[in-house]
Amino acid sequence: MEWTRSGEDLFVRIDSGEEIHATLQALADEVGFDAAAITSGIGRTRDTLYGYMNEDGVYIRRNLDSPSELVSLSGNIARTQDGKAFTHIHCCWSDDDNNVHAGHMFQSVVHVVGEIHVRIMSQAIMTRCPLPDVELLGLQFSRH
């Protein structure tokens, strides 16, 4: 990973073999922010696990193992109650037949390169907390 900064904006290059969640969480620790919006991302990935949350609050997971174009990526970065960086990301991928796969990203490894824009929210405190009866950790907001 390499990144550059302009004010509150970070532009990140994630390299082949790096997992997107882990890399962005490491970025949050390296730069030292608690809240950010992930506004865009493109690239090519492999070993992807994605899915959706059903009406019972349970994630349904699907594999997309072959390399695919990362057409769109967005989400946010917050901290868990114990201070660990937490990424919540949704994506659209296009396989080599141009079939679109989309949903919540659980895992995705960069195959060639990933290019992601992150906007730091320096005046926000966002904490991920358990929600009753669903797998998702919900956002709780605090003021400085």
Side-chain angles (χ1 to χ4, degrees), residues 128-139:
R128 287 284 174 179
C129 303
L131 293 174
D133 304 322
V134 297
E135 280 189 65
L136 175 69
L137 294 177
L139 274 175

Side-chain angles (χ1 to χ4, degrees), residues 17-138:
E18 295 179 308
E19 200 282 321
I20 293 173
H21 282 287
T23 302
L24 293 177
Q25 291 163 6
L27 175 72
D29 291 339
E30 181 178 335
V31 176
F33 60 84
D34 294 326
I38 304 167
T39 64
S40 67
I42 57 173
R44 188 156 176 88
T45 64
R46 67 176 186 268
D47 302 325
T48 296
L49 182 62
Y50 74 104
Y52 65 94
M53 182 176 284
N54 70 13
E55 62 277 358
D56 296 322
V58 176
Y59 279 114
I60 306 302
R61 292 164 169 82
R62 295 189 170 132
N63 288 307
L64 181 60
D65 295 324
S66 42
S68 300
E69 286 296 301
L70 177 58
V71 177
S72 177
L73 174 151
S74 62
N76 57 68
I77 305 171
R79 298 278 172 179
T80 61
Q81 291 174 310
D82 62 0
K84 293 181 182 173
F86 184 96
T87 44
H88 184 190
I89 301 172
H90 286 208
C91 294
C92 292
W93 295 268
S94 175
D95 63 26
D96 289 348
D97 293 320
N98 291 112
N99 297 308
V100 174
H101 306 265
H104 178 92
M105 184 179 77
F106 296 99
Q107 169 190 301
S108 196
V109 175
V110 170
H111 187 65
V112 177
V113 70
E115 300 170 345
I116 298 174
H117 174 253
V118 175
R119 164 122 343 136
I120 297 171
M121 300 167 60
S122 59
Q123 300 302 311
I125 299 173
M126 302 187 325
T127 306
R128 287 284 174 179
C129 303
L131 293 174
D133 304 322
V134 297
E135 280 189 65
L136 175 69
L137 294 177

Side-chain angles (χ1 to χ4, degrees), residues 10 13 16 32 57 90 112 141:
L10 301 173
R13 188 194 74 228
S16 180
H90 286 208
V112 177
F141 302 103

